[in-house]
C-alpha cells in the first residue's frame, strides 16, 4: 500500500483538484493546528477532505468524503481569528484512517493517481471537448478562453479535466465525483456530459431570459405599438379626411363655373395642402385661403327687377318725401338699364345723420331684388383694411371689400360704402386710393386684394356711398361720385315720416295695434321739438320706440287698455324736456349774436359772444375755434377799426381795451368762414354799445372791405334756425338763388333778409342805426381831447342798453390809438 500520513483539514464543500490553487480562510481550531503542523512538520503538505455535511462542527472520519486531495500550503497568513491559506492540489488521496496526534489529527491516505485509458478514445474525447468548448458562446459559464488556449497548446487531459472542473460552477457532489474518478477518459466523458448539460441549461436559460425580458418589454412594447397604431390610424383617417375634403373641393370646382385662374389656384393650393402633415401650422392657413376662394361669389347673380314702376313703388313705400332723391335714383337706374352698363358714376347720398341714407340704399336693393351689403369706412386709415394683408403675414385677412363680397354671396349686390367722408389717411397708406380702385369702373373689374392674390371683378356691383359732409370726401373720390344731397327734415316732414313709417314700424315691432298706441300730430311735434334736436329722425324713432315699449309694459300690467300719449305721460316715461325749443335770447343784447353753422350733423345755431375790458388792444378768442374762424375774427375786427368813425367808434377806443370773443356750444366743430358777419356784428355791437336784435340769426363771410360773400349749406342752416324757432335770417345776397331749395314750410315761417355788405348787415341786425362821428369828434379824439358831445352820446347808449360802461374807457383814452391806425376805408 502506498499510504502516507499527513495532517488533515476538513472543508465545508470546498474541493481542490490536483494542480489547482485555492485560497481558503481557515478558522477552526483543529484546522489551524493542522496547518501549523503541516507547515512545521510535513513540508507544507496537508490532506484536504470535504465534509459530507457542512453543518458538522468536529467531523469524524465518517463525516468526510473518502477521497480528498493532498495539498501543498503555498502560503498562509495569520489574521486575528483565522488564517488565510493558499492551497495547491497535488494528488488525489483516499482516506485510510485517522490518527490522534498532538497538534492535530493526522490521517493516513492512499495516493490515487489518474489513470490513463484508451488513447484513441482519449483523443476523440479531447477533440469533442474542444469542439464543445468552441461551440460555446462568450459569456456562457463553461466558457474559458484560458482553457481553449491550453487545449491548443496541448494540455494533458488529466490536467484539463481538473482545471476545468475546478473553475466550473458544478455542484459539490459532482465535483467530489470528479475527484473520486481516476480514469481520465471517464473524467473527459463526464466533462462532455456536463458541458452538454450546461449548453442545454444555458439554452433554456436563454429562452427563459428572453421570455422574461419579452414579458417585461411586452407592456412597453404594447404601449409603443398602441401609440404607433393610433398615430398610423390618425394618419390614415386624416389622410382620408384630407383626401375626402380634397375630393369634395375638386368636385365643386368641376361642377361649378369658377374662373379658370381660380380653379388653377385652388388646385395648386390643394396639392400643397394634401402633402403637408396635418399637424403643420400651415395647413390651417392654406385651408382658410382655399375656403375663401371657394366661397367668394365668382359667378352667382340675382336677377334685377327691371320694372322701374315697381322700383318706384318700393322706394315710395319705404320712404316718405325725398321726391327729388327718389327721382334721381330712378333716373340713375334707368340709365344703367338702358346702357346695360354700370359704368356710370357711383351714387353718393350725402346728408346729416338719420335722414335715411342707409335705409334708402337698402330700399334700392330691395326694389331691384338685389342682395345688400354694407361696409363702413368710418375711421379707416389703413389701406390694408380695404385691400387686405398679404398671406405671408400671420393672421392675414382679406380686406373689407372682399369680406363684404363673401357676405353678399353674389357678384351683383347693392354695396353700401358708408361714411366715405370719414376715411382718414396716415403712414399706413392712403385708403382712398384703394377706394378709388373699387369705385372706378375702369379698374374695378380687376380689383386686387392682397390676400386673395387673384383679381376680383367688382364691375357688376351697384355701389352706393354715403357721406355726412361733402367737404371731407377726398377730391379724387368725389370726382367719381354722383352726389345726391339729402337734407334735414322740417318738423312737418318729420311728423309725416313718424306717422307713415316710424310709428307703424314700432307698432309692428312691439306687437301693438293702432288703437292701443295713439300718438297724435301735436304730440309728435312736441316730441320733435322738446325731446330731439336733430336733422334726421333717428332720435325721434328711438323716442317713439321707447314710448311704444313702455306702452306694451303698461298694457300687459293691465295699468291701461290703450295708451294715448300725452305730455304728462311723456314726462313720466321719458323725463323732463330735453331740448329748449325756441328759448333763444328774448332780449336784445349787446355783443351777443346768433350765427348759423353747417356741420356733419346738419345745421346748427351758434351763439357768439363778445366782451371787452381795459387792456391794450388784444383780441382773445375762445371756444376752440378753427383757423378759418380765427381769421374771420381778425378780419372782422380790422374791418370795424378801419370803419370805426363811420360807425361812431373812436379810433382810440381800440387801444385801451382787450376784446374777448367766445363761441360757446362746445360740441359743434367750429370752423368755416360763414361766421364772418356774425363776428362783425358782435364786435360792432360791443364797441358801439348798440344791442343786437334777438330772434335774428345770420350767416355769411365778410371780406376785409366789408363785402358779404355767399356761403354753403344754406338749407341746413335755415332748417336749424327754424328748428330753434328763429324767425329772421340774414343771408348773403349771393345765396338768394338757394332759397328755392328751402322747404315752403320754412319759408313761410322765416323771413330771409339778403345782404351784400357789412353796412347792410349792421343796419338790419342792430336795434339802432349807427351814427358816424362828427369831424369834430374825430379831431378831438386824434388830439387826445375829450370830445364835447361824447359823453352825452355814450351816456345815451348806456342808459338805453344797460350795457357795461364802455364810455369811461373810451373817454379815459387820450392816446391816438393803436399801432395799426385804420386805413379808413370809407365806403
Ligand atoms: P342715415 O343712414 O342717413 O344716417 P338711416 O338710414 O339710418 O339714416 O335712417 C334712420 C332711420 O330713419 C331709419 O329707420 C329710416 O328708415 C328712418 N327714415 C329716415 N328718413 C326716412 C324717410 N324719409 N321716410 C321713412 N323713414 C325714414
Amino acid at each position: 500500500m502506498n499510504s502516507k500520513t499527513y495532517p488533515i483539514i476538513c472543508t465545508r464543500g470546498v474541493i481542490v483538484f490536483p494542480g489547482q490553487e485555492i485560497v481558503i480562510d481557515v478558522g477552526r481550531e483543529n484546522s489551524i493546528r493542522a496547518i501549523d503542523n503541516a507547515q512545521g512538520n510535513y513540508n507544507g503538505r496537508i490532506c484536504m477532505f470535504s465534509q459530507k455535511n457542512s453543518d458538522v462542527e468536529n467531523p469524524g472520519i465518517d463525516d468526510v468524503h473518502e477521497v480528498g486531495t493532498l495539498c501543498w500550503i503555498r502560503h498562509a497568513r495569520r489574521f486575528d481569528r483565522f488564517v488565510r491559506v493558499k492551497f495547491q492540489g497535488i494528488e488525489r488521496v483516499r482516506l485510510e484512517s485517522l490518527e490522534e496526534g498532538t497538534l492535530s489529527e493526522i490521517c493516513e491516505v492512499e495516493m490515487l493517481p489518474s489513470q490513463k485509458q484508451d488513447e484513441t478514445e482519449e483523443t476523440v474525447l479531447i477533440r469533442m471537448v474542444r469542439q464543445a468548448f468552441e461551440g460555446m458562446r462568450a459569456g456562457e459559464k463553461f466558457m474559458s478562453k484560458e482553457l481553449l488556449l491550453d487545449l491548443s497548446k496541448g494540455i494533458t487531459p488529466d490536467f484539463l479535466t481538473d482545471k476545468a472542473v475546478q473553475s466550473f460552477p458544478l455542484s459539490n457532489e459532482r465535483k467530489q465525483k470528479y475527484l473520486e474518478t481516476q480514469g481520465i477518459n471517464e473524467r473527459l466523458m463526464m466533462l462532455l456530459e456536463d458541458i452538454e448539460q450546461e449548453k442545454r441549461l444555458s439554452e433554456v436559460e436563454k429562452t427563459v431570459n428572453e421570455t422574461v425580458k419579452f414579458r417585461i418589454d411586452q407592456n412597453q412594447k404594447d404601449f409603443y405599438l398602441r401609440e404607433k397604431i393610433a398615430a398610423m390610424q390618425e394618419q390614415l383617417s386624416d389622410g382620408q379626411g384630407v383626401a375626402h375634403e380634397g375630393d369634395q373641393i375638386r368636385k365643386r370646382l368641376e361642377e361649378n363655373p369658377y374662373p379658370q385662374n381660380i380653379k388653377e389656384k385652388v388646385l395648386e393650393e390643394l396639392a400643397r395642402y394634401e402633402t403637408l402633415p396635418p399637424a403643420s401650422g400651415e395647413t390651417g392657413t392654406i385651408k382658410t385661403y382655399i375656403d375663401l376662394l371657394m366661397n367668394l361669389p365668382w359667378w352667382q347673380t340675382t336677377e334685377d327687377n327691371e320694372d322701374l314702376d315697381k322700383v318706384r313703388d318700393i322706394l315710395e313705400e319705404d320712404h316718405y318725401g325725398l321726391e327729388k332723391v327718389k327721382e334721381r335714383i330712378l333716373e340713375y337706374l334707368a340709365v344703367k338699364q338702358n346702357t346695360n352698363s354700370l359704368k356710370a358714376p357711383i351714387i353718393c347720398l350725402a346728408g346729416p345723420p338719420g335722414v335715411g341714407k342707409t335705409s334708402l340704399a337698402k330700399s334700392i336693393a330691395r326694389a331691384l331684388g338685389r342682395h345688400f351689403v354694407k361696409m363702413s369706412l368710418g375711421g379707416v386709415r389703413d389701406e390694408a383694411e380695404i385691400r387686405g394683408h398679404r398671406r405671408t403675414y400671420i393672421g392675414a385677412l382679406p380686406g373689407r371689400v372682399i369680406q363684404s363680397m363673401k357676405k353678399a354671396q353674389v357678384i351683383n349686390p347693392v354695396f353700401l360704402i358708408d361714411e366715405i367722408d370719414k376715411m382718414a389717411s396716415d403712414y399706413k397708406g392712403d385708403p382712398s386710393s384703394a377706394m378709388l380702385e373699387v369705385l372706378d369702373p375702369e379698374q374695378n373689374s380687376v380689383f386686387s386684394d392682397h390676400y386673395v392674390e387673384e383679381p376680383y371683378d367688382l364691375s357688376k356691383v351697384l355701389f352706393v356711398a354715403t357721406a355726412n359732409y361733402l367737404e371731407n370726401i377726398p377730391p379724387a373720390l368725389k370726382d367719381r361720385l354722383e352726389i345726391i344731397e339729402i337734407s334735414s327734415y322740417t318738423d312737418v316732414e318729420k311728423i309725416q315720416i313718424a306717422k307713415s313709417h316710424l310709428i307703424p314700424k314700432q307698432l309692428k315691432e312691439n306687437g301693438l295695434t293702432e288703437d292701443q298706441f295713439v300718438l297724435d300730430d301735436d304730440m309728435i311735434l312736441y316730441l320733435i321739438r322738446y325731446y330731439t334736436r336733430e336733422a334726421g329722425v333717428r332720435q325721434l324713432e328711438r323716442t317713439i320706440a321707447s314710448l311704444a315699449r313702455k306702452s306694451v309694459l303698461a298694457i300687459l300690467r293691465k295699468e291701461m287698455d290703450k295708451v294715448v300719449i300725452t305730455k304728462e305721460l311723456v314726462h313720466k316715461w321719458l323725463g323732463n324736456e330735453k331740448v329748449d325749443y325756441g328759448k333763444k335770447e328774448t332780449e336784445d343784447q349787446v355783443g351777443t349774436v346768433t350765427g348759423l353753422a353747417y356741420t356733419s350733423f346738419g345745421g346748427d345755431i351758434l351763439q357768439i359772444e363778445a366782451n371787452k375790458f381795459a387792456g391794450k388792444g388784444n383780441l382773445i378768442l375762445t371756444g376752440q375755434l378753427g383757423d378759418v374762424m380765427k381769421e374771420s375774427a381778425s378780419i372782422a375786427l380790422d374791418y370795424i377799426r378801419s370803419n370805426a368813425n363811420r360807425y361812431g367808434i373812436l379810433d382810440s377806443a381800440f387801444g385801451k381795451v382787450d376784446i374777448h370773443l367766445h363761441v360757446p356750444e362746445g360740441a359743434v366743430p367750429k370752423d368755416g368762414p360763414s361766421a364772418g358777419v356774425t363776428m362783425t356784428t358782435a364786435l360792432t355791437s360791443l364797441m358801439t354799445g348798440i344791442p343786437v336784435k334777438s330772434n335774428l340769426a345770420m350767416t355769411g363771410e365778410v371780406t376785409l372791405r366789408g363785402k358779404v360773400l355767399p356761403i354753403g349749406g344754406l338749407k341746413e342752416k335755415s332748417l336749424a334756425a327754424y328748428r330753434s324757432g328763429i324767425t329772421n335770417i340774414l343771408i348773403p345776397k349771393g345765396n338768394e338763388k338757394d332759397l328755392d331749395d328751402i322747404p315752403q314750410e320754412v319759408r313761410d315761417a322765416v323771413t330771409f333778409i339778403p345782404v351784400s355788405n357789412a353796412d347792410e348787415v349792421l343796419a338790419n341786425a342792430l336795434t339802432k342805426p349807427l351814427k358816424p362821428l362828427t369831424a369834430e369828434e374825430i379831431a378831438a379824439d386824434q388830439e387826445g381831447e375829450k370830445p364835447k358831445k361824447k359823453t352825452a352820446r355814450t351816456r345815451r347808449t348806456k342808459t338805453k342798453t344797460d350795457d357795461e360802461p364802455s364810455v369811461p374807457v373810451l373817454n379815459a383814452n387820450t392816446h391816438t390809438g393803436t399801432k395799426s391806425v385804420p386805413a379808413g376805408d370809407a365806403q
Side-chain angles (χ1 to χ4, degrees):
M1 277 261 295
N2 183 19
S3 61
K4 285 187 178 166
T5 52
Y6 295 102
I8 179 170
I9 181 170
C10 300
T11 65
R12 291 181 161 120
V14 178
I15 294 166
V16 62
F17 288 87
Q20 309 307 314
E21 285 179 348
I22 194 170
V23 176
I24 302 173
D25 289 339
V26 180
R28 282 188 279 196
E29 267 307 297
N30 282 348
S31 305
I32 292 174
R33 268 205 306 273
I35 301 280
D36 288 343
N37 194 13
Q39 284 189 311
N41 309 306
Y42 290 89
N43 203 17
R45 302 296 192 271
I46 189 166
C47 282
M48 184 189 290
F49 293 90
S50 83
Q51 285 175 218
K52 290 177 185 164
N53 183 352
S54 32
D55 293 342
V56 180
E57 191 54 32
N58 292 308
I61 192 157
D62 298 333
D63 295 323
V64 295
H65 286 290
E66 202 185 352
V67 178
T69 320
L70 170 65
C71 298
W72 171 33
I73 297 170
R74 300 284 305 267
H75 180 77
R77 189 172 165 205
R78 287 182 177 273
F79 286 87
D80 224 8
R81 304 179 60 178
F82 63 91
V83 186
R84 179 161 291 163
V85 189
K86 187 177 191 179
F87 298 96
Q88 185 177 16
I90 300 171
E91 187 91 74
R92 288 174 167 77
V93 289
R94 185 189 312 277
L95 181 61
E96 297 287 326
S97 61
L98 212 56
E99 283 175 23
E100 219 48 60
T102 45
L103 288 169
S104 69
E105 283 174 289
I106 298 295
C107 66
E108 193 179 4
V109 293
E110 180 197 352
M111 295 298 159
L112 298 174
S114 294
Q115 290 170 358
K116 204 121 172 93
Q117 294 172 304
D118 187 281
E119 272 203 37
T120 332
E121 195 185 47
E122 189 187 284
T123 319
V124 172
L125 283 169
I126 289 181
R127 194 191 296 160
M128 285 171 77
V129 168
R130 178 199 288 264
Q131 280 172 355
F133 274 143
E134 283 172 351
M136 288 191 122
R137 281 184 296 265
E140 277 174 338
K141 283 177 192 151
F142 280 23
M143 180 57 211
S144 160
K145 281 191 180 151
E146 206 183 323
L147 273 176
L148 267 177
L149 209 65
D150 291 343
L151 272 169
S152 60
K153 281 184 196 157
I155 186 180
T156 63
D158 185 13
F159 186 69
L160 169 74
T161 51
D162 287 342
K163 186 169 183 177
V165 177
Q166 184 73 68
S167 57
F168 287 174
L170 294 166
S171 67
N172 285 342
E173 282 71 36
R174 188 65 178 168
K175 282 192 174 173
Q176 186 60 38
K177 190 98 182 116
Y178 271 99
L179 200 61
E180 289 165 6
T181 310
Q182 282 177 277
I184 296 172
N185 285 6
E186 274 174 63
R187 292 216 300 268
L188 282 170
M189 288 284 268
M190 281 169 72
L191 192 58
L192 270 175
E193 270 171 36
D194 283 339
I195 291 173
E196 274 314 307
Q197 168 94 354
E198 177 56 30
K199 265 193 172 172
R200 276 204 304 278
L201 282 177
S202 126
E203 278 301 312
V204 174
E205 192 182 317
K206 215 173 104 194
T207 17
V208 170
N209 264 347
E210 273 169 11
T211 320
V212 171
K213 186 166 185 293
F214 175 77
R215 288 204 181 142
I216 291 170
D217 287 351
Q218 194 66 39
N219 279 340
Q220 286 182 340
K221 195 170 157 193
D222 282 358
F223 172 76
Y224 172 73
L225 283 178
R226 261 195 295 273
E227 285 296 296
K228 195 159 182 174
I229 288 169
M232 283 159 86
Q233 271 173 346
E234 205 173 277
Q235 287 257 9
L236 208 62
S237 65
D238 234 63
Q240 278 174 350
V242 170
H244 185 59
E245 259 181 338
D247 288 347
Q248 278 190 337
I249 291 171
R250 279 188 198 89
K251 196 162 160 238
R252 261 178 78 190
L253 281 179
E254 263 167 42
E255 287 172 356
N256 294 299
Y258 284 97
Q260 192 53 33
N261 59 331
I262 297 305
K263 281 187 185 175
E264 280 164 17
K265 187 88 185 181
V266 171
L267 289 175
E268 194 182 293
E269 292 292 322
L270 197 58
R272 269 184 68 208
Y273 177 62
E274 284 170 335
T275 50
L276 282 173
S280 151
E282 227 185 314
T283 47
T285 33
I286 299 186
K287 186 70 197 333
T288 321
Y289 179 62
I290 295 178
D291 284 348
L292 177 76
L293 289 191
M294 296 298 289
N295 295 328
L296 262 181
W298 295 101
W299 72 90
Q300 301 88 329
T301 50
T302 50
E303 197 148 324
D304 275 358
N305 168 21
E306 307 243 299
D307 183 348
L308 286 178
D309 288 339
K310 199 134 178 262
V311 172
R312 176 195 294 273
D313 288 348
I314 291 179
L315 291 181
E316 286 294 342
E317 201 177 303
D318 288 350
H319 291 91
Y320 168 86
L322 304 173
E323 301 311 332
K324 275 192 192 167
V325 177
K326 290 175 193 162
E327 199 59 35
R328 285 280 294 280
I329 293 173
L330 279 173
E331 281 165 19
Y332 177 82
L333 296 176
V335 171
K336 269 193 195 321
Q337 225 181 72
N338 210 28
T339 56
N340 200 16
S341 136
L342 282 168
K343 293 210 168 164
I346 278 125
I347 296 185
C348 174
L349 301 170
V355 292
K357 299 180 297 296
T358 313
S359 64
L360 257 175
K362 276 190 194 158
S363 202
I364 295 174
R366 189 166 89 90
L368 290 175
R370 287 195 182 205
H371 290 194
F372 175 82
V373 278
K374 175 176 162 180
M375 169 178 95
S376 181
L377 288 182
V380 169
R381 43 182 60 240
D382 185 352
E383 192 184 345
E385 288 201 48
I386 291 170
R387 232 190 247 291
H389 289 100
R390 292 190 192 286
R391 274 201 294 146
T392 41
Y393 286 92
I394 293 173
L397 280 177
R400 293 193 190 195
V401 175
I402 290 294
Q403 286 181 24
S404 303
M405 287 313 289
K406 188 179 156 199
K407 243 184 261 162
Q409 294 176 330
V410 288
I411 57 166
N412 65 339
V414 169
F415 193 129
L416 180 71
I417 299 168
D418 209 12
E419 303 190 315
I420 200 163
D421 55 331
K422 300 268 169 62
M423 231 174 2
S425 63
D426 66 4
Y427 66 97
K428 283 182 178 165
D430 184 3
S432 62
S433 66
M435 276 320 291
L436 256 184
E437 195 182 317
V438 173
L439 298 179
D440 186 350
E442 302 295 329
Q443 295 181 51
N444 70 8
S445 59
V446 285
F447 173 69
S448 76
D449 181 282
H450 292 324
Y451 182 86
V452 173
E453 288 172 7
E454 296 295 314
Y456 190 83
D457 185 358
L458 292 171
S459 63
K460 303 277 185 299
V461 177
L462 177 66
F463 286 105
V464 177
T466 75
N468 286 144
Y469 204 51
L470 289 176
E471 323 300 317
N472 291 348
I473 304 177
L477 268 182
K478 203 167 170 182
D479 212 38
R480 301 285 190 293
L481 302 174
E482 178 168 342
I483 311 275
I484 301 181
E485 284 191 67
I486 308 181
S487 50
S488 310
Y489 294 122
T490 62
D491 290 351
V492 174
E493 281 170 329
K494 286 184 187 176
I495 294 173
Q496 290 308 324
I497 293 171
K499 282 198 329 192
S500 61
H501 291 89
L502 307 182
I503 298 175
K505 192 167 147 195
Q506 289 308 321
L507 290 180
K508 202 169 151 207
E509 278 182 16
N510 292 288
L512 289 165
T513 63
E514 269 180 49
D515 299 335
Q516 282 176 314
F517 182 78
V518 180
L519 184 60
D520 65 22
D521 289 8
D522 287 346
M523 278 315 299
I524 299 175
L525 186 64
Y526 178 68
L527 292 178
I528 292 170
R529 290 196 166 161
Y530 295 97
Y531 285 85
T532 70
R533 183 195 276 171
E534 59 176 347
V537 290
R538 201 175 282 163
Q539 188 64 34
L540 178 63
E541 187 175 17
R542 267 190 229 128
T543 310
I544 294 173
S546 172
L547 289 175
R549 282 196 304 274
K550 291 193 190 298
S551 303
V552 174
L553 195 63
I555 291 170
L556 287 185
R557 280 184 179 156
K558 305 233 176 330
E559 288 166 12
M560 318 181 194
D561 294 339
K562 59 179 263 184
V563 179
V564 178
I565 303 290
T566 58
K567 277 191 187 180
E568 291 69 41
L569 214 50
V570 173
H571 280 259
K572 190 174 150 203
W573 283 348
L574 303 181
N576 289 334
E577 291 169 4
K578 301 213 159 58
V579 180
D580 298 334
Y581 174 78
K583 285 191 186 145
K584 54 206 174 296
E585 300 294 349
T586 45
E587 258 181 64
D588 302 341
Q589 291 203 36
V590 171
T592 303
V593 189
T594 305
L596 293 171
Y598 177 39
T599 70
S600 59
F601 301 99
D604 208 345
I605 61 167
L606 203 66
Q607 293 290 337
I608 293 186
E609 296 176 345
N611 210 340
K612 68 177 163 47
F613 35 83
K616 291 184 173 165
N618 296 319
L619 177 64
I620 304 157
L621 298 172
T622 52
Q624 296 190 0
L625 309 182
D627 288 342
V628 179
M629 217 144 159
K630 284 180 188 160
E631 280 171 13
S632 294
S634 25
I635 291 172
L637 184 60
D638 287 354
Y639 171 75
I640 297 167
R641 285 174 70 168
S642 62
N643 291 280
N645 295 346
R646 282 200 316 115
Y647 292 161
I649 307 166
L650 294 174
D651 286 338
S652 57
F654 294 98
K656 290 293 172 188
V657 291
D658 282 350
I659 295 172
H660 186 164
L661 198 71
H662 179 59
V663 187
E665 287 281 313
V668 187
K670 285 161 248 166
D671 207 9
S674 65
V677 286
T678 324
M679 288 174 165
T680 310
T681 310
L683 292 175
T684 313
S685 161
L686 177 75
M687 295 309 286
T688 58
I690 304 174
V692 181
K693 288 177 190 163
S694 65
N695 205 6
L696 173 89
M698 59 184 70
T699 177
E701 188 179 349
V702 178
T703 67
L704 207 47
R705 295 180 161 248
K707 277 195 80 163
V708 174
L709 299 182
I711 43 82
L714 182 68
K715 188 175 173 188
E716 290 301 328
K717 287 175 177 174
S718 46
L719 280 163
Y722 170 62
R723 270 204 294 280
S724 306
I726 287 166
T727 50
N728 295 292
I729 308 178
L730 299 187
I731 60 163
K733 197 152 181 71
N735 282 107
E736 249 180 329
K737 59 179 180 355
D738 300 328
L739 287 175
D740 290 347
D741 282 345
I742 292 172
Q744 192 57 47
E745 183 190 338
V746 178
R747 277 191 281 167
D748 290 347
V750 177
T751 312
F752 291 92
I753 307 162
V755 287
S756 52
N757 58 49
D759 286 353
E760 286 177 35
V761 172
L762 295 171
N764 282 292
L766 299 177
T767 50
K768 251 168 20 91
L770 293 162
K771 203 168 166 218
L773 293 180
T774 58
E776 191 192 21
E777 281 169 329
I778 297 168
D781 184 40
Q782 280 174 354
E783 283 158 23
E785 280 177 14
K786 194 173 165 184
K788 278 183 219 157
K789 278 173 73 185
K790 187 89 187 172
T791 314
R793 192 181 75 82
T794 314
R795 199 187 301 125
R796 194 170 65 236
T797 306
K798 190 182 171 204
T799 43
K800 284 240 170 174
T801 62
D802 267 338
D803 192 25
E804 58 173 318
S806 56
V807 184
V809 178
L810 290 171
N811 287 349
N813 180 15
T814 48
H815 198 273
T816 26
T818 55
K819 276 181 255 164
S820 55
V821 177
D825 181 6
Q827 291 192 7

